[in-house]
Amino acid sequence: MNPFRFLRRSLHWRITFLIGTGMLVLAAALRLSSLWESKEISARVLSERQGLARAVADHLDYVLQANLILLQNVALEARAGIGEEDIAPLRASLREAFLRSIFTGGIFLLDQTGKRVWSEPQRSLSLPEPGKLPLIRQALASGKPEVSNLVPGGRKIYAVVPVRDWRGKLVGVVGGELDPESSRFRSLLHPLRLGDTTYLELVDGQGIVLASTRKGRTFQKSDHGRFLRRLIQEKRSVVGTCHSCHEEGGVPEREREVIAFAPLRVAPWGVSIRQAEKEALASVLLIRQRLFLIGTLTVLLSLLFAWGVARSVTRPLGVLTQAAQRIAQGNLDEPIPALGEDEIGRLAYTFDQMRLALQDSLATIAEGKRDLEKRVQERTQELERLYRELQSKEEIRGELLKKVITAQEEERKRIARELHDETSQALATLLVSLETGVATAPDRLKEHLYRMKEMVDRTLDSVHRLIFDLRPSLLDDLGLSSALRWSAERHLESLGIDLSFTVTGVERRLPPEVETTLFRIGQEAISNIARHADAESVRVVIAFNEKSVCLQIEDDGKGFEPEQVVQAGQGGQGLGILGMQERAALLEGNLVIQSAPGRGTRVHVEVPLREGRKGGGL
Ligand SMILES: Nc1ncnc2c1ncn2[C@@H]1O[C@H](COP(=O)(O)OP(=O)(O)O)[C@@H](O)[C@H]1O
Ligand SMILES: [Mg+2]
């Protein structure tokens, strides 16, 4: 799992983190540079300390050198005097040197065997055996001035200068005894005013303190004895901080110190300046402390600043986000507050303009929608009105059609009755008269009358056919199937067409309008077969169902395109088929004509039977 995931999810934390990290890096860099700076300062302080130690060592060198010169002068005096009887001048010079030098213990002259020739002051000086003082042998061997370490037994220091005769041969030594406790020697280390914890020490080549600005340190072993001994041997200056100042056993642990050490050139000694680190590097420590304080404060302030910057960005963004959510939820009324003149402020302003524009367009759309709805409603009402109008017109048309058809049927009936009662009666009477006339008339008229009788006979036949077509009495007397069968036989069989006639279901009398309608439809279909089909066989089926009656007339003739006929019917053609459809429709029946060129024709009509169907026969 990514530990920085929270940064990806929060802009606030991201900005805080980035600025904070930048500030921390800056603070760390500053801290590093200040550390480096304070190191530089402490190095400078240390090098100053070293310079100081060097200066003190130089001063001591100078004093020792001057005293060795005094001894040297005595040695020059002594090269003539040694071995002479009269040593008065030599004594005088020894005395003078004793008074002027730092050799408060006394000055002495030894011959080359180490035997004392003279010493000043005569009494107080109790020289150690020359054999026990390696320094004298050393000086006699090397021929150079020598300064000793602290000689253990007597807590004294000795300096010797070799004496040469005129030929340069070593004939003895002039020496001086130094008492480290003498005030003249002690005054060599003037206390340096460097602070409360600073002290100077003069250490000999054995690590023993010869003089110290601190009380009680003289003749003690220095706590850094071994180290200082080596430095003195190697004639090396050194400066540093002492971290574990407990080298030689028995020396109590001390606080951290700054030590600057410089060896002397003339004597096997060295000068050390020591000071508590706290004091020596007080300024550096103070700088470090202050820097730490300033650094911590800077980091805290920078984090606060980063947080503030992040907040100044994310707060208006939060306001904007809330506004966007409100708008997404459809609340366009609440305005987006002004968020200043910066980029986010401008964004908020633009966003608010967008909100207003959106509000405007939504209002326009709503108005348009209302307008449209109103118009649709008006249109629907208009259509409903038109539909009702059409329906009532359709009803009226149906009524009219019904009336027309009824009137037509009535007229047919009337004409048929007239033809039957008047014309066919008259023709029958005429026929009987003519038959009588043929029997009784003279021969010359007989043939004439006979032809007349024949003509009347044929006319009577066609009147009967006309009467039947107009209104077959069979339909009223025997019903649909008998009338239709008779009509089919009469029209089709005379044309040599093979006719099959089937009745299914329970044959019964139907309401007169149903019978008339189905008869007229059948009559038209049969007439069409006779006139147009060129058929060889025809099949008629009447099906008496429980709730409807079906009539189907099918031929195997040449067929036709019913659609074309119906369209062409507009111009006056195909009124027969149209009439069939109208009649079926008046009884809420359904008429289907299936036909195609060369495939025969099938006319199928179904009329529902409803109880209480009203209306006269059509
Ligand atoms: N059984 C049929 N076989 C072939 N053609 C037919 C048949 N019935 C109708 N038609 C065709 O349909 C046309 C329209 O018939 P119809 O509406 O009865 O008008 P009409 O009989 O006066 O021509 C006819 O002219 C004929 O071409
Ligand atoms: Mg026809």
Side-chain angles (χ1 to χ4, degrees):
M1 208 172 113
N2 185 357
F4 293 107
R5 228 181 59 181
F6 72 99
L7 292 181
R8 243 187 285 151
R9 301 190 58 182
S10 157
L11 191 59
H12 188 103
W13 279 113
R14 195 150 66 228
I15 295 173
T16 310
F17 179 78
L18 289 179
I19 298 181
T21 311
M23 293 288 196
L24 281 178
V25 168
L26 205 68
L30 277 175
R31 179 133 182 80
L32 273 180
S33 86
S34 67
L35 271 180
W36 183 70
E37 191 73 21
S38 71
K39 270 219 167 102
E40 285 272 290
I41 294 172
S42 57
R44 213 171 308 137
V45 168
L46 290 181
S47 98
E48 272 169 16
R49 284 282 178 288
Q50 193 174 20
L52 202 60
R54 184 73 263 156
V56 174
D58 283 351
H59 169 67
L60 287 176
D61 264 335
Y62 171 76
V63 172
L64 280 177
Q65 193 69 49
N67 283 283
L68 283 176
I69 286 170
L70 281 177
L71 292 183
Q72 195 75 50
N73 289 342
V74 175
L76 283 177
E77 198 75 42
R79 69 182 170 184
I82 208 161
E84 294 291 320
E85 279 300 307
D86 181 18
I87 57 162
L90 193 59
R91 278 170 54 193
S93 94
L94 276 171
R95 174 115 193 117
E96 196 191 329
F98 167 67
L99 291 174
R100 284 173 55 195
S101 72
I102 55 167
F103 299 115
T104 48
I107 289 180
F108 52 88
L109 173 66
L110 307 178
D111 66 10
Q112 66 198 83
T113 59
K115 203 177 117 229
R116 182 185 342 193
V117 178
W118 191 255
S119 68
E120 194 67 39
Q122 185 71 27
R123 274 158 295 153
S124 65
L125 190 67
S126 52
L127 269 179
E129 284 300 303
K132 287 184 189 162
L133 199 64
L135 182 81
I136 294 167
R137 280 205 312 275
Q138 240 169 284
L140 283 172
S142 69
K144 285 180 187 162
E146 297 282 348
V147 180
S148 77
N149 291 321
L150 190 76
V151 175
R155 287 191 169 178
K156 298 284 189 274
I157 300 164
Y158 296 94
V160 293
V161 172
V163 179
R164 293 174 191 271
D165 65 4
W166 294 111
R167 290 180 297 277
K169 193 173 158 242
L170 288 169
V171 290
V173 292
V174 178
E177 187 189 88
L178 263 172
D179 180 7
E181 282 174 307
S182 71
S183 61
R184 205 183 287 181
F185 186 80
R186 288 218 310 269
S187 70
L188 283 178
L189 294 183
H190 290 296
L192 282 177
R193 294 272 165 241
L194 273 174
D196 299 337
T197 59
T198 314
Y199 62 100
L200 254 87
E201 275 182 354
L202 182 63
V203 181
D204 77 354
Q206 304 164 109
I208 292 169
V209 177
L210 299 180
S212 172
T213 57
R214 254 192 192 181
K215 282 205 175 82
R217 293 273 296 155
T218 316
F219 306 131
Q220 299 280 318
K221 266 192 157 220
S222 168
D223 47 0
H224 285 74
R226 206 183 305 156
F227 175 58
L228 297 183
R229 221 153 53 213
R230 205 169 64 239
L231 289 179
I232 290 167
Q233 271 167 20
E234 293 169 6
K235 296 265 178 228
R236 216 148 46 82
S237 301
V238 92
V239 69
T241 45
C242 162
H243 289 236
S244 51
C245 310
H246 47 74
E247 189 192 335
E248 260 124 279
V251 177
E253 200 161 311
R254 303 163 64 95
E255 59 184 338
R256 285 160 66 106
E257 281 185 330
V258 170
I259 299 183
F261 180 82
L264 265 67
R265 290 191 195 92
V266 178
W269 307 340
V271 173
S272 72
I273 299 177
R274 300 166 67 152
Q275 189 178 12
E277 194 185 32
K278 241 194 278 175
E279 193 179 54
L281 301 177
S283 57
V284 176
L285 290 176
L286 195 72
I287 287 173
R288 276 189 199 170
Q289 254 174 18
R290 277 188 192 154
L291 280 175
F292 178 75
L293 213 75
I294 290 171
T296 314
L297 236 117
T298 312
V299 166
L300 286 178
L301 279 177
S302 62
L303 284 177
L304 198 74
F305 171 74
W307 187 82
V309 168
R311 197 169 148 68
S312 77
V313 173
T314 51
R315 199 193 61 81
L317 275 181
V319 173
L320 263 186
T321 310
Q322 273 177 4
Q325 280 168 347
R326 273 203 309 276
I327 288 173
Q329 282 161 7
N331 177 2
L332 290 171
D333 299 329
E334 207 169 312
I336 297 162
L339 294 174
E341 289 176 6
D342 57 3
E343 285 86 342
I344 297 177
R346 287 203 293 278
L347 181 65
Y349 176 74
T350 317
F351 206 34
D352 202 42
Q353 296 298 103
M354 247 168 69
R355 178 189 67 84
L356 288 174
L358 197 61
Q359 209 174 22
D360 267 8
S361 13
L362 281 181
T364 314
I365 288 170
E367 201 174 319
K369 198 175 146 202
R370 273 198 301 279
D371 203 35
L372 199 69
E373 270 172 5
K374 203 172 130 204
R375 272 157 63 189
V376 166
Q377 208 176 3
E378 279 170 10
R379 204 57 191 209
T380 312
Q381 279 170 355
E382 174 76 10
L383 280 174
E384 279 172 356
R385 192 183 59 75
L386 284 174
Y387 178 71
R388 280 196 302 276
E389 219 166 81
L390 192 71
Q391 234 177 2
S392 76
K393 275 187 179 156
E394 188 61 24
E395 273 169 24
I396 292 167
R397 192 187 74 89
E399 283 304 313
L400 278 175
L401 195 65
K402 213 182 257 183
K403 280 196 176 124
V404 167
I405 290 171
T406 313
Q408 196 185 29
E409 285 298 323
E410 288 302 321
E411 188 59 16
R412 283 183 174 199
K413 257 188 197 168
R414 195 187 59 76
I415 293 169
R417 207 177 304 124
E418 198 124 309
L419 280 174
H420 183 266
D421 295 352
E422 305 287 328
T423 316
S424 111
Q425 286 302 321
L427 282 173
T429 316
L430 183 64
L431 195 66
V432 172
S433 306
L434 279 173
E435 272 173 359
T436 323
V438 168
T440 57
D443 286 347
R444 154 176 81 79
L445 289 174
K446 225 177 217 167
E447 198 189 327
H448 185 65
L449 284 174
Y450 185 75
R451 275 207 305 276
M452 274 179 74
K453 182 193 87 91
E454 290 279 288
M455 217 154 83
V456 170
D457 207 10
R458 278 203 305 277
T459 308
L460 193 61
D461 247 17
S462 34
V463 166
H464 275 144
R465 258 204 313 277
L466 193 62
I467 289 168
F468 181 81
D469 283 344
L470 280 170
R471 178 74 197 182
S473 50
L474 266 178
L475 185 61
D476 296 325
D477 301 339
L478 296 176
L480 178 66
S481 54
S482 306
L484 215 50
R485 186 194 295 265
W486 194 84
S487 175
E489 280 169 359
R490 206 168 59 83
H491 282 97
L492 299 177
E493 280 181 348
S494 60
L495 295 171
I497 295 172
D498 187 19
L499 175 74
S500 96
F501 200 97
T502 319
V503 176
T504 64
V506 186
E507 188 175 357
R508 56 191 187 272
R509 289 307 298 262
L510 302 168
E513 72 272 17
V514 177
E515 287 193 330
T516 310
T517 298
L518 287 175
F519 177 75
R520 290 294 177 210
I521 290 172
Q523 206 177 20
E524 177 61 30
I526 288 164
S527 144
N528 276 352
I529 292 169
R531 288 170 61 199
H532 312 295
D534 285 340
E536 285 182 5
S537 64
V538 170
R539 217 160 71 85
V540 179
V541 179
I542 301 173
F544 288 90
N545 303 323
E546 200 182 325
K547 288 184 176 168
S548 70
V549 59
C550 287
L551 168 64
Q552 183 170 296
I553 299 169
E554 200 178 352
D555 69 67
D556 58 354
K558 63 183 179 191
F560 67 107
E561 296 271 10
E563 278 91 31
Q564 281 178 11
V565 170
V566 172
Q567 276 168 13
Q570 314 270 336
Q573 282 252 306
L575 284 175
I577 288 175
L578 208 63
M580 292 201 283
Q581 275 164 343
E582 292 283 5
R583 280 177 188 271
L586 281 175
L587 291 185
E588 293 164 30
N590 184 30
L591 182 126
V592 183
I593 296 175
Q594 291 172 303
S595 184
R599 297 194 145 184
T601 306
R602 176 194 290 164
V603 177
H604 179 97
V605 61
E606 178 170 18
V607 174
L609 295 174
R610 296 220 181 90
E611 280 184 31
R613 188 189 279 281
K614 291 226 172 104
L618 297 176

